[in-house]
Amino acid sequence: MLTAQQGQALVRLARQQIERHLGMADSPDAAMAAVLDDPVMAGKRGVFVTLHKNKQLRGCIGSLTAVESLPEGIRRNAISAAFHDYRFAPLTAAELPGLEVEISILSEPEPCEGANPDEVIAKIRPGVDGVIIKGPQGEQATFLPQVWQQLPQPEQFLSHLCRKAGLPENAWRSGGLRFFTYQVQSFEESR
């Protein structure tokens, strides 16, 4: 578990990466650098960076598996969320004042199994679990636990997740998918 101070340092790091990419000057932050040098930051975890503008999604990119240190994952995914999320045009400097940055640090995904789809649904905890689905042809998609705020019903949540993976909405009922769950520790900018 990260402390609030560590989480806020990672959120600031994400914003700084976006600002640097836009060519905006930033001032060194010695306190943030000290927090980022803590050995806990060297740990490898899956991370997501989510951007909102006027309370609407503006970009969200991440890694489900641990491939790099927390700061490196935040740096890479901040750039990807701001400039390479295929659902949105690249972020502009004019959008920065209204931009809200959130980061999510993921636990290791675990299989969620059941004899039938109803048993799987019963094991998924709305508002707590992020869900990954994997299809028989390599299809894959995830929703972070924060998505439960927009899709609070498990059936609706899974139907939208199937659609995100390019599968029919009711594919989760077929028994041909594999499910994994994970939890996140999330941090938002304090404004």
Side-chain angles (χ1 to χ4, degrees):
M1 289 287 269
L2 298 180
T3 67
Q5 180 185 24
Q6 291 166 331
Q8 286 304 311
L10 289 171
V11 170
R12 285 195 311 277
L13 178 65
R15 180 173 282 276
Q16 281 183 349
Q17 282 302 116
I18 294 167
E19 290 173 350
R20 280 189 192 136
H21 191 81
L22 289 168
M24 302 178 78
D26 63 335
S27 55
D29 185 337
M32 183 177 88
V35 172
L36 295 177
D37 283 340
D38 187 300
V40 75
M41 294 292 180
K44 294 181 179 182
R45 305 267 300 276
V47 299
F48 272 74
V49 175
T50 305
L51 307 175
H52 288 96
K53 183 179 171 197
N54 301 321
K55 306 293 183 201
Q56 298 296 313
L57 182 65
R58 180 59 180 86
C60 182
I61 300 284
S63 304
L64 292 169
T65 56
V67 295
E68 58 206 340
S69 71
L70 289 174
E72 287 307 310
I74 294 297
R75 284 183 184 103
R76 184 173 53 80
N77 289 307
I79 295 300
S80 293
F83 306 105
H84 305 295
D85 186 329
Y86 70 91
R87 300 169 292 182
F88 303 96
L91 189 77
T92 65
E95 293 178 278
L96 277 176
L99 191 71
E100 298 165 351
V101 179
E102 177 183 8
I103 63 161
S104 299
I105 311 300
L106 282 61
S107 67
E108 193 65 34
E110 296 185 7
C112 182
E113 300 170 341
N116 59 56
D118 290 332
E119 283 186 18
V120 171
I121 259 193
K123 292 180 179 182
I124 296 172
R125 299 171 297 171
V128 175
D129 292 329
V131 178
I132 303 165
I133 58 168
K134 293 185 178 186
Q137 305 300 317
E139 306 94 330
Q140 179 174 309
T142 191
F143 277 153
L144 295 169
Q146 295 91 314
V147 175
W148 288 103
Q149 294 170 11
Q150 288 83 42
L151 302 169
Q153 300 303 316
E155 294 83 0
Q156 181 187 33
F157 185 94
L158 292 177
S159 292
H160 279 77
L161 186 55
C162 286
R163 190 169 14 162
K164 182 179 179 185
L167 297 164
E169 283 189 14
N170 63 352
W172 65 270
R173 293 184 182 276
S174 70
L177 301 180
R178 292 182 300 146
F179 297 85
F180 299 83
T181 58
Y182 59 89
Q183 295 75 49
V184 303
Q185 188 178 12
S186 65
F187 299 93
E188 298 177 26
E189 284 182 300
S190 51
R191 293 198 166 232

